[in-house]
Amino acid sequence: VMKMDSLSFPEAVRAVATKAGIALPKREFSSPEEARIYGEAAGLRRQLLDIHEAATQYFQAQLKSAEAARAREYLSGRGVTPETVKTFRIGYAPDDFNAMRDALSPHFNEETLRASGLFSAKDQADGAPGPMYTMYARFRRRITFPIANEGGKVIAFTARALDTTDD
């Protein structure tokens, strides 16, 4: 479960217990520092699940755009039905470096955006990460496929590049 769902050991134990209907005792921490560290890691994991869900919805909406006509034609030509698109939450990443970042940044902090894997970033000359505006969408002009864990939560994406030649 840890490997398949990209979970820490405690998260995997909770997932299995929930699935099996087993109640777990509340976790007790040996120090406030331990509680803070554990809370921060769990908070980032929740934020990553949230940003991946938001990105899935963004990509789904983009598949309905005029720019995605070629993507819809490609899917149709491969026998992918609208029902399949809906079931698997297939989407489209537009040919834009900044649109998704601009759509998600009001809802997620820079740490979450960087950790999500959805963006690439140019580092400054000293190797330190630059300001948020240097982040750009990793997926562009691609059909997107969200990857979900056993619980149905989106944890990653894969994508199919479309032919880059113009009509």
Side-chain angles (χ1 to χ4, degrees), residues 36-48:
R36 183 189 63 77
I37 291 169
Y38 181 80
E40 287 175 5
L44 179 58
R45 281 195 186 276
R46 278 191 297 276
Q47 284 294 305
L48 289 174

Side-chain angles (χ1 to χ4, degrees), residues 10 17-18 22-23 32 59-60 63 69 82 93 106 109 115 117 132 144 147 157 160:
T18 300
I22 299 169
F59 291 141
Q60 286 178 295
L63 186 59
N109 64 32
M132 189 183 310
T144 60
I147 299 169
F157 292 88
R160 168 68 165 89

Side-chain angles (χ1 to χ4, degrees), residues 63 70-81 85 90-91 143 145:
L63 186 59
R70 178 181 265 158
R72 290 189 303 274
E73 289 171 19
Y74 175 84
L75 290 168
S76 177
R78 300 288 294 190
V80 178
T81 65
V85 168
I90 297 171
I143 298 169
F145 303 88

Side-chain angles (χ1 to χ4, degrees), residues 5 49 52-53 56 87 89 146-155:
D5 294 345
L49 290 173
H52 286 134
E53 177 59 31
T56 300
T87 299
R89 304 182 74 190
I147 299 169
N149 64 15
E150 191 176 68
K153 302 287 186 183
V154 177
I155 58 170

Side-chain angles (χ1 to χ4, degrees), residues 23-155:
L24 294 176
K26 285 199 91 164
R27 176 164 175 136
E28 294 183 24
F29 299 100
S30 59
S31 70
E33 179 67 12
E34 182 184 1
R36 183 189 63 77
I37 291 169
Y38 181 80
E40 287 175 5
L44 179 58
R45 281 195 186 276
R46 278 191 297 276
Q47 284 294 305
L48 289 174
L49 290 173
D50 290 346
I51 197 170
H52 286 134
E53 177 59 31
T56 300
Q57 292 175 18
Y58 173 83
F59 291 141
Q60 286 178 295
Q62 294 304 308
L63 186 59
K64 297 173 184 171
S65 71
E67 180 187 333
R70 178 181 265 158
R72 290 189 303 274
E73 289 171 19
Y74 175 84
L75 290 168
S76 177
R78 300 288 294 190
V80 178
T81 65
E83 294 79 25
T84 301
V85 168
K86 184 176 179 181
T87 299
F88 291 99
R89 304 182 74 190
I90 297 171
Y92 176 74
D95 191 15
D96 189 307
F97 284 89
N98 304 316
M100 185 169 66
R101 182 201 64 212
D102 294 345
L104 297 179
S105 62
H107 309 286
F108 299 96
N109 64 32
E110 187 172 346
E111 177 188 12
T112 304
L113 292 169
R114 288 186 184 281
S116 71
L118 295 166
F119 303 95
S120 293
K122 294 181 184 175
D123 289 341
Q124 295 176 351
D126 63 4
M132 189 183 310
Y133 67 84
T134 62
M135 281 192 294
Y136 55 91
R138 184 178 305 265
F139 298 116
R140 293 179 308 281
R141 200 172 179 168
R142 286 171 163 63
I143 298 169
T144 60
F145 303 88
I147 299 169
N149 64 15
E150 191 176 68
K153 302 287 186 183
V154 177
I155 58 170

